[in-house]
Amino acid sequence: MSRPQNLLPALLVAALSLYFVDLGGSAIWDANEAFYVETPREMMERGDYVFPTFNYEPRVNKPVLSYWIVAGFYKLFGVSVAVQRIPIAIGGVLIVLLAFLLGRLAGGMDRTTATLAGLWAATGLAVSPRLLMFSRRIFIDIYITLFMASTLLFFALAERYPDRRRLFLTLMYVAVGLGVLTK
Protein backbone atom coordinates (compact mmCIF):
# COMPACT_ATOMS: atom_id res chain seq x y z
CA MET A 1 0.00 0.00 0.00
CA SER A 2 1.30 3.45 -0.83
CA ARG A 3 2.07 5.96 1.87
CA PRO A 4 -0.75 8.41 2.70
CA GLN A 5 1.50 11.38 1.88
CA ASN A 6 1.68 10.10 -1.70
CA LEU A 7 -2.11 10.20 -2.04
CA LEU A 8 -2.41 13.96 -1.51
CA PRO A 9 -1.26 14.92 -5.02
CA ALA A 10 -3.81 12.49 -6.49
CA LEU A 11 -6.54 14.04 -4.33
CA LEU A 12 -5.62 17.54 -5.45
CA VAL A 13 -5.51 16.55 -9.12
CA ALA A 14 -8.94 14.92 -8.80
CA ALA A 15 -10.30 18.01 -7.04
CA LEU A 16 -8.82 20.31 -9.67
CA SER A 17 -10.38 18.32 -12.47
CA LEU A 18 -13.81 18.37 -10.82
CA TYR A 19 -13.66 22.05 -9.94
CA PHE A 20 -12.15 23.51 -13.13
CA VAL A 21 -13.24 21.42 -16.12
CA ASP A 22 -15.64 23.25 -18.45
CA LEU A 23 -16.35 26.21 -16.15
CA GLY A 24 -17.62 28.19 -19.13
CA GLY A 25 -19.81 25.36 -20.40
CA SER A 26 -23.04 26.78 -19.03
CA ALA A 27 -24.42 30.28 -19.08
CA ILE A 28 -25.11 32.43 -16.03
CA TRP A 29 -28.29 30.86 -14.67
CA ASP A 30 -28.85 32.38 -11.26
CA ALA A 31 -29.84 35.98 -10.42
CA ASN A 32 -27.22 36.13 -7.67
CA GLU A 33 -24.59 34.93 -10.09
CA ALA A 34 -25.48 37.80 -12.41
CA PHE A 35 -24.89 40.33 -9.61
CA TYR A 36 -21.39 39.04 -8.94
CA VAL A 37 -20.29 38.93 -12.57
CA GLU A 38 -21.85 42.11 -13.93
CA THR A 39 -20.97 44.41 -11.03
CA PRO A 40 -17.18 43.91 -11.42
CA ARG A 41 -17.48 44.39 -15.18
CA GLU A 42 -19.25 47.70 -14.60
CA MET A 43 -16.61 48.70 -12.02
CA MET A 44 -13.89 48.17 -14.62
CA GLU A 45 -15.87 49.95 -17.33
CA ARG A 46 -16.44 52.98 -15.11
CA GLY A 47 -12.99 52.86 -13.50
CA ASP A 48 -14.67 53.09 -10.08
CA TYR A 49 -13.74 50.25 -7.74
CA VAL A 50 -15.26 51.77 -4.61
CA PHE A 51 -18.90 52.39 -5.51
CA PRO A 52 -20.41 49.23 -7.07
CA THR A 53 -23.34 49.30 -9.46
CA PHE A 54 -25.51 46.67 -11.12
CA ASN A 55 -27.26 47.72 -14.34
CA TYR A 56 -25.69 51.11 -13.55
CA GLU A 57 -27.81 51.46 -10.41
CA PRO A 58 -26.12 51.60 -6.97
CA ARG A 59 -25.47 48.19 -5.41
CA VAL A 60 -24.11 48.96 -1.98
CA ASN A 61 -25.77 46.20 0.05
CA LYS A 62 -22.72 43.89 -0.22
CA PRO A 63 -19.05 44.47 0.61
CA VAL A 64 -16.81 44.94 -2.41
CA LEU A 65 -14.09 42.31 -1.84
CA SER A 66 -15.82 39.63 -3.92
CA TYR A 67 -16.29 42.16 -6.75
CA TRP A 68 -12.61 43.11 -6.57
CA ILE A 69 -11.55 39.47 -6.80
CA VAL A 70 -13.60 38.87 -9.95
CA ALA A 71 -12.46 42.21 -11.43
CA GLY A 72 -8.85 41.17 -10.88
CA PHE A 73 -9.42 37.99 -12.86
CA TYR A 74 -11.18 39.99 -15.59
CA LYS A 75 -8.09 42.21 -15.84
CA LEU A 76 -5.80 39.17 -16.09
CA PHE A 77 -7.79 36.96 -18.44
CA GLY A 78 -10.59 39.04 -19.98
CA VAL A 79 -14.33 38.93 -19.40
CA SER A 80 -15.97 35.55 -19.97
CA VAL A 81 -18.20 33.10 -18.14
CA ALA A 82 -15.27 30.77 -17.43
CA VAL A 83 -13.09 33.59 -16.08
CA GLN A 84 -15.92 34.72 -13.83
CA ARG A 85 -15.99 31.30 -12.18
CA ILE A 86 -12.23 30.69 -11.81
CA PRO A 87 -11.80 32.58 -8.51
CA ILE A 88 -14.72 30.70 -6.96
CA ALA A 89 -13.27 27.35 -8.12
CA ILE A 90 -9.92 28.33 -6.62
CA GLY A 91 -11.74 29.15 -3.38
CA GLY A 92 -13.36 25.70 -3.39
CA VAL A 93 -10.00 23.97 -3.85
CA LEU A 94 -8.51 26.10 -1.05
CA ILE A 95 -11.34 24.99 1.24
CA VAL A 96 -10.43 21.37 0.47
CA LEU A 97 -6.80 22.16 1.30
CA LEU A 98 -7.87 23.78 4.60
CA ALA A 99 -9.89 20.65 5.41
CA PHE A 100 -6.71 18.62 4.88
CA LEU A 101 -4.71 20.90 7.19
CA LEU A 102 -7.41 20.91 9.88
CA GLY A 103 -7.73 17.12 9.61
CA ARG A 104 -3.98 16.79 10.07
CA LEU A 105 -4.09 18.98 13.17
CA ALA A 106 -6.96 16.94 14.59
CA GLY A 107 -5.26 13.67 13.70
CA GLY A 108 -2.77 13.91 16.53
CA MET A 109 0.99 13.94 16.73
CA ASP A 110 1.67 10.72 14.81
CA ARG A 111 2.53 11.92 11.30
CA THR A 112 0.97 9.01 9.40
CA THR A 113 -2.26 9.08 11.40
CA ALA A 114 -2.48 12.86 11.07
CA THR A 115 -1.94 12.69 7.31
CA LEU A 116 -4.61 10.00 6.94
CA ALA A 117 -7.04 12.11 8.97
CA GLY A 118 -6.30 15.08 6.72
CA LEU A 119 -6.76 13.04 3.58
CA TRP A 120 -10.10 11.66 4.77
CA ALA A 121 -11.29 15.17 5.68
CA ALA A 122 -10.18 16.64 2.36
CA THR A 123 -11.53 13.75 0.29
CA GLY A 124 -14.91 13.87 1.99
CA LEU A 125 -15.20 17.58 1.42
CA ALA A 126 -13.80 17.53 -2.14
CA VAL A 127 -16.54 15.19 -3.34
CA SER A 128 -19.32 16.94 -1.44
CA PRO A 129 -21.99 17.77 -4.05
CA ARG A 130 -22.88 21.10 -2.48
CA LEU A 131 -19.28 22.36 -2.31
CA LEU A 132 -18.67 21.19 -5.85
CA MET A 133 -21.81 22.94 -7.12
CA PHE A 134 -21.04 26.16 -5.25
CA SER A 135 -17.44 26.07 -6.51
CA ARG A 136 -18.57 25.94 -10.13
CA ARG A 137 -20.93 28.92 -9.95
CA ILE A 138 -20.52 32.46 -8.72
CA PHE A 139 -21.69 31.94 -5.15
CA ILE A 140 -19.70 34.18 -2.83
CA ASP A 141 -20.55 31.88 0.05
CA ILE A 142 -17.35 30.08 -1.01
CA TYR A 143 -15.34 33.11 0.14
CA ILE A 144 -17.01 33.39 3.54
CA THR A 145 -16.51 29.63 4.01
CA LEU A 146 -12.88 29.94 2.97
CA PHE A 147 -12.16 32.76 5.40
CA MET A 148 -14.06 31.13 8.27
CA ALA A 149 -12.18 27.86 7.70
CA SER A 150 -8.95 29.90 7.69
CA THR A 151 -10.03 31.46 10.97
CA LEU A 152 -10.53 28.01 12.48
CA LEU A 153 -7.18 26.78 11.14
CA PHE A 154 -5.25 29.73 12.58
CA PHE A 155 -7.00 29.36 15.93
CA ALA A 156 -6.11 25.65 16.02
CA LEU A 157 -2.51 26.47 15.08
CA ALA A 158 -2.34 29.08 17.85
CA GLU A 159 -3.48 26.46 20.34
CA ARG A 160 -1.12 23.77 19.00
CA TYR A 161 1.96 26.02 18.80
CA PRO A 162 1.88 28.46 21.74
CA ASP A 163 5.34 29.80 20.89
CA ARG A 164 3.86 31.27 17.66
CA ARG A 165 0.49 32.11 19.16
CA ARG A 166 0.67 35.84 18.45
CA LEU A 167 1.38 35.25 14.74
CA PHE A 168 -1.44 32.73 14.33
CA LEU A 169 -3.94 34.87 16.24
CA THR A 170 -3.03 37.87 14.07
CA LEU A 171 -3.62 35.74 10.96
CA MET A 172 -6.89 34.54 12.49
CA TYR A 173 -8.10 38.13 12.92
CA VAL A 174 -7.09 38.96 9.35
CA ALA A 175 -9.12 35.96 8.14
CA VAL A 176 -12.13 37.14 10.18
CA GLY A 177 -11.80 40.61 8.65
CA LEU A 178 -11.62 39.23 5.12
CA GLY A 179 -14.68 37.12 5.85
CA VAL A 180 -16.57 40.23 6.93
CA LEU A 181 -15.54 41.95 3.69
CA THR A 182 -17.09 39.20 1.59
CA LYS A 183 -20.52 38.90 3.12
Side-chain angles (χ1 to χ4, degrees):
M1 182 170 164
S2 67
R3 297 182 56 151
Q5 296 88 327
N6 298 336
L7 297 177
L8 179 60
L11 169 69
L12 293 178
V13 168
L16 286 174
S17 67
L18 291 172
Y19 287 68
F20 289 97
V21 170
D22 199 29
L23 282 177
S26 62
I28 303 300
W29 60 274
D30 183 84
N32 279 335
E33 199 173 18
F35 288 132
Y36 296 108
V37 298
E38 177 62 13
T39 300
R41 191 199 64 73
E42 289 180 16
M43 289 174 121
M44 288 176 47
E45 180 182 292
R46 292 184 355 268
D48 181 356
Y49 294 90
V50 176
F51 189 75
T53 61
F54 177 73
N55 288 335
Y56 303 99
E57 296 292 323
R59 176 151 170 84
V60 293
N61 59 334
K62 294 285 185 180
V64 295
L65 181 59
S66 57
Y67 302 139
W68 291 343
I69 293 169
V70 173
F73 275 79
Y74 283 169
K75 286 251 187 212
L76 289 172
F77 304 110
V79 178
S80 75
V81 173
V83 169
Q84 297 158 356
R85 293 179 176 146
I86 289 172
I88 298 294
I90 290 170
V93 170
L94 289 174
I95 291 168
V96 170
L97 176 63
L98 287 171
F100 172 77
L101 296 172
L102 284 164
R104 275 195 71 179
L105 279 173
M109 298 305 274
D110 174 62
R111 189 180 197 107
T112 301
T113 303
T115 301
L116 277 173
L119 285 169
W120 278 112
T123 302
L125 191 58
V127 298
S128 164
R130 190 170 196 110
L131 179 65
L132 184 58
M133 180 194 72
F134 277 25
S135 297
R136 295 184 53 78
R137 298 281 186 242
I138 305 289
F139 289 119
I140 63 166
D141 295 9
I142 288 294
Y143 295 136
I144 190 74
T145 304
L146 173 65
F147 293 126
M148 294 315 296
S150 299
T151 299
L152 180 59
L153 175 66
F154 291 130
F155 177 76
L157 288 169
E159 291 298 309
R160 173 69 64 91
Y161 303 105
D163 55 320
R164 291 183 269 167
R165 185 174 178 80
R166 183 174 294 233
L167 168 68
F168 290 129
L169 289 179
T170 300
L171 292 171
M172 181 187 82
Y173 291 125
V174 168
V176 168
L178 289 171
V180 169
L181 287 176
T182 60
K183 199 63 171 169

